[in-house]
């Protein structure tokens, strides 16, 4: 077997280097576990009831925190369905036409039966040259992963993964439980941290672990509080980080609230209808990431009016995907089934996030 060339070696080195932030977090968490459980709880806390309470609560938070972190790292970002990929004939036709009006006419013809309502800033169909597909709404190409990701939020180096439709709930829970983890450590360690400064603790290695544990937990709590608060705001507004920086463009222009359905429905789109699953790192988001209900009133004239109200497609696994014929203020998807009397319209959803320049 021939050895990899310079390009292959460079890619391998990049893959290894991308795990360094994850390794750093893992080492910090492993040390915090040792410092809190063994040096603080077992060695320094004398009261048995306090010791058991701290250990039980700590391990519950610790398990949820590690579980959410694991899910965020190892959940593969979802990519567009095959219906959004161009056929060989269409790719050849696009290559012949090049950029221009004819190029857009071909894309419009291909997109006419797809639930695509967002546009480039210039009003064109969003197309990815590298993946050779029409981008579903809220889908972006990640330059790090080198693929299109459904409902991309961002590429996070701390989890070495794209945060999008498939793992955005896990990412928000990871922020929540990491903030709770650091806050709990800070609160329970404060009394022993004060005793350290007043020489109330014996001169052992435990007091140094207690000192640095307090500083590390307090420092991470401050930074995590702002980051978690920001993503809570995004969930309530039904926006991704990319959409917060640049509002999605529709045929009538940019609309930062185009996907906002109201506070309750926005939260349910990320966490699902079953509230019992909200605090658990289990996938429960609504939709399939390829199409999303919107709050738009104006219909897209380029989308066909279908008597059945839906357009059904079948993917490579034989599963049927029903796409809405046009965006409505209220549609009877799973998310918008309350308070409507219209015909059923089913939406889809999918994740990914990458920064790109669209024209």
């Amino acid at each position: 077997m021939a050895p990899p060339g310079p390009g292959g070696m460079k890619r391998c080195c990049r893959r290894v280097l991308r795990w360094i932030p994850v390794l750093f977090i893992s080492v910090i968490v492993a040390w915090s576990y040792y410092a809190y459980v063994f040096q603080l709880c077992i060695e320094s806390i004398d009261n048995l009831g306090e010791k058991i309470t701290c250990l039980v609560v700590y391990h519950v938070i610790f398990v949820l925190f590690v579980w959410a972190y694991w899910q965020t790292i190892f959940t593969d970002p979802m990519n567009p369905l095959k219906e959004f990929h161009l056929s060989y004939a269409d790719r050849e036709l696009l290559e012949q036409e090049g950029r221009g009006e004819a190029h857009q006419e071909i894309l419009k013809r291909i997109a006419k039966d797809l639930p695509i309502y967002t546009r480039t800033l210039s009003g064109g169909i969003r197309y990815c040259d590298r993946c050779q597909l029409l981008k579903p709404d809220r889908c972006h190409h990640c330059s790090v992963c080198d693929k299109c990701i459904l409902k991309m939020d961002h590429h996070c180096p701390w989890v070495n993964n794209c945060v999008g439709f498939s793992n955005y709930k896990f990412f928000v829970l990871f922020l929540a439980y990491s903030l709770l983890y650091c806050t709990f450590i800070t609160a329970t360690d404060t009394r022993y941290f004060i005793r350290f400064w007043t020489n109330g603790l014996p001169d052992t290695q435990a007091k140094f672990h207690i000192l640095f544990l307090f500083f590390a937990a307090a420092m991470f709590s401050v930074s995590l509080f702002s980051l978690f608060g920001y993503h809570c705001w995004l969930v309530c507004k039904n926006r991704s980080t990319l959409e917060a920086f640049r509002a999605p463009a529709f045929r009538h222009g940019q609309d930062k609230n185009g996907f906002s359905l109201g506070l309750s429905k926005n939260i349910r789109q990320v966490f699902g209808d079953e509230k019992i699953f909200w605090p658990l790192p289990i996938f429960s988001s609504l939709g399939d990431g390829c199409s999303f209900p919107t709050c738009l009133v104006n219909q897209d004239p380029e989308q066909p009016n279908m008597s059945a109200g839906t357009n059904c497609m079948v993917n490579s696994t034989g599963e049927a995907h029903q796409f809405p014929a046009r965006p409505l203020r209220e549609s009877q998807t799973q998310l918008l089934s309350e308070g409507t009397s219209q015909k059923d319209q089913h939406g889809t959803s999918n994740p990914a996030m990458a920064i790109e320049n669209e024209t």
Side-chain angles (χ1 to χ4, degrees):
M1 184 176 179
M9 289 294 295
K10 187 181 293 185
R11 286 192 295 271
C12 291
C13 290
R14 282 200 296 262
R15 291 194 195 101
V16 172
L17 291 175
R18 287 171 190 162
W19 284 101
I20 291 179
V22 177
L23 180 62
F24 173 76
I25 294 294
S26 301
V27 170
I28 293 294
V29 172
W31 166 77
S32 68
Y33 184 89
Y34 168 78
Y36 189 87
V37 172
F38 294 97
Q39 297 297 332
L40 177 63
C41 291
I42 296 179
E43 295 292 334
S44 303
I45 298 179
D46 297 324
N47 185 281
L48 182 60
E50 180 184 356
K51 181 180 298 187
I52 293 175
T53 302
C54 288
L55 286 173
V56 170
V57 176
Y58 172 84
H59 280 92
V60 171
I61 299 174
F62 180 80
V63 168
L64 291 172
F65 162 62
V66 173
W67 186 7
Y69 191 42
W70 177 276
Q71 289 282 67
T72 306
I73 295 173
F74 294 105
T75 299
D76 291 331
M78 292 175 64
N79 311 119
L81 300 173
K82 73 169 188 177
E83 289 81 16
F84 294 87
H85 291 258
L86 269 63
S87 65
Y88 177 79
D90 288 329
R91 292 198 301 268
E92 289 289 316
L93 191 58
L94 281 179
E95 291 176 1
Q96 294 174 5
E97 294 295 339
R99 295 288 181 178
E101 187 64 28
H103 184 274
Q104 274 297 313
E105 289 300 324
I106 296 172
L107 294 180
K108 289 179 182 178
R109 172 182 59 81
I110 301 172
K112 67 179 181 178
D113 294 327
L114 295 173
I116 299 176
Y117 305 114
T118 54
R119 298 290 188 265
T120 63
L121 295 179
S122 60
I125 299 295
R126 300 169 65 241
Y127 174 72
C128 180
D129 291 306
R130 291 190 63 84
C131 299
Q132 295 185 319
L133 56 81
L134 299 179
K135 296 179 183 178
D137 293 345
R138 316 184 82 176
C139 175
H140 299 272
H141 185 89
C142 176
S143 57
V144 179
C145 298
D146 195 24
K147 58 185 177 181
C148 286
I149 308 295
L150 293 176
K151 195 189 174 185
M152 182 177 176
D153 188 86
H154 68 287
H155 186 94
C156 181
W158 299 107
V159 300
N160 190 30
N161 199 3
C162 262
V163 177
F165 175 77
S166 61
N167 62 352
Y168 185 66
K169 176 192 174 184
F170 305 147
F171 178 75
V172 174
L173 289 179
F174 160 63
L175 294 179
Y177 288 129
S178 57
L179 175 60
L180 182 61
Y181 180 77
C182 293
T183 303
F184 177 78
I185 290 177
T186 304
T188 53
D189 187 37
T190 301
R191 182 157 62 96
Y192 298 92
F193 172 77
I194 295 174
R195 290 176 59 185
F196 166 81
W197 288 107
T198 58
N199 296 320
L201 291 177
D203 191 14
T204 63
Q205 66 171 353
K207 68 177 185 180
F208 295 102
H209 285 285
I210 292 172
L211 171 65
F212 291 113
L213 185 64
F214 177 85
F215 278 122
M219 179 184 65
F220 279 109
S221 296
V222 174
S223 59
L224 286 168
F225 179 80
S226 59
L227 185 59
F228 176 64
Y230 175 69
H231 279 277
C232 286
W233 179 79
L234 290 178
V235 170
C236 293
K237 295 292 184 179
N238 203 346
R239 299 176 196 169
S240 66
T241 300
L242 288 178
E243 292 166 350
F245 283 96
R246 185 176 65 189
F250 300 86
R251 283 188 57 83
H252 67 276
Q254 288 184 284
D255 188 346
K256 64 181 180 180
N257 295 317
F259 294 106
S260 181
L261 309 171
L263 178 61
S264 175
K265 293 174 183 177
N266 290 344
I267 295 174
R268 286 161 51 200
Q269 192 170 92
V270 174
F271 290 94
D273 287 327
E274 300 294 332
K275 293 184 179 180
I276 190 174
F277 296 122
W278 285 13
L280 299 178
I282 298 172
F283 183 81
S284 58
S285 302
L286 300 182
D288 67 5
C290 288
S291 68
F292 300 86
T294 72
C295 65
L296 304 179
V297 176
N298 298 327
Q299 299 179 8
D300 190 338
E302 292 189 0
Q303 295 296 329
N305 291 326
M306 305 175 67
S307 58
T310 58
N311 182 29
C312 184
M313 292 186 176
V314 181
N315 66 8
S316 58
T317 61
E319 297 176 349
H321 292 271
Q322 294 187 356
F323 297 130
R326 56 187 181 275
L328 300 174
R329 178 170 294 278
E330 292 182 335
S331 61
Q332 287 192 335
T333 59
Q334 181 183 6
L335 181 64
L336 298 178
S337 60
E338 299 177 358
T340 66
S341 59
Q342 301 174 0
K343 294 181 180 180
D344 288 348
Q345 298 188 15
H346 300 278
T348 59
S349 57
N350 201 345
M353 161 177 191
I355 298 178
E356 58 185 352
N357 294 321
E358 296 175 350
T359 56

